Amino acid sequence: MTRSLYVSLPLAALTLSLGGCSLLGAPTAEVGECVQMSDLQAAEIDEIPTVDCGEEHDGQVVATFEGPAGDYPSAEEWQTIIREGCTEGFEDYVGVTYEESSLTLQDLSPTEEGWDADDRGVLCLAYLDGETTTESFEGAEI
């Protein structure tokens, strides 16, 4: 199964980019696991490399959810699916709304090929733009 990392703009203007990376197979990261966003920029990866949240990192998985049954969503449908799923999970995890936060969101979503192979999982990653931390975003209200 192939997955793509779409760069999400501020959610008011959330669009899916054709850039990013593809993940071969189902993602291995869980909510709360920390990442280096630069590790996710390769053209293809077979897992999501995670780091201990006590080490320097710039991103964290803040939500996961399953996309809807049916045909592969259009770009507009993906925007709605991601906006709803990621912002809800973001607020629950971080403790403030996305609009109030200084963090940025990206999603890791199935490609059409993955969707056709019944991969519906979406990961929502929050990250610091140009900064790192040794803290979790959980309840941080940042």
Side-chain angles (χ1 to χ4, degrees):
M1 288 178 264
T2 303
R3 303 171 74 75
S4 294
L5 182 68
Y6 294 110
V7 178
S8 297
L9 301 174
L11 240 30
L14 178 67
T15 59
L16 301 181
S17 166
L18 296 177
C21 73
S22 295
L23 183 65
L24 305 175
T28 58
E30 300 292 330
V31 171
E33 291 189 296
C34 294
V35 298
Q36 292 287 8
M37 296 302 287
S38 61
D39 291 346
L40 302 175
Q41 301 307 312
E44 292 184 351
I45 54 176
D46 59 4
E47 67 180 72
I48 299 171
T50 60
V51 298
D52 184 287
C53 291
E55 297 177 14
E56 292 285 326
H57 63 280
D58 59 359
Q60 189 167 12
V61 178
V62 296
T64 63
F65 65 93
E66 292 292 312
D71 293 333
Y72 189 73
S74 69
E76 289 143 2
E77 291 168 327
W78 264 124
Q79 289 176 12
T80 300
I81 292 165
I82 292 165
R83 182 179 298 115
E84 291 173 0
C86 286
T87 57
E88 181 179 310
F90 179 94
E91 185 172 352
D92 290 345
Y93 194 79
V94 178
V96 295
T97 66
Y98 179 67
E99 293 78 16
E100 297 172 303
S101 177
S102 60
L103 298 170
T104 303
L105 273 172
Q106 285 190 342
D107 68 287
L108 181 60
S109 302
T111 62
E112 190 166 359
E113 178 183 79
W115 193 269
D116 290 343
D118 292 324
D119 180 9
R120 301 288 193 272
V122 177
L123 291 178
C124 306
L125 301 130
Y127 69 95
L128 296 162
D129 195 12
E131 299 178 50
T132 60
T133 186
T134 56
E135 303 290 326
S136 172
F137 300 152
E138 185 175 17
E141 298 182 348
I142 57 173

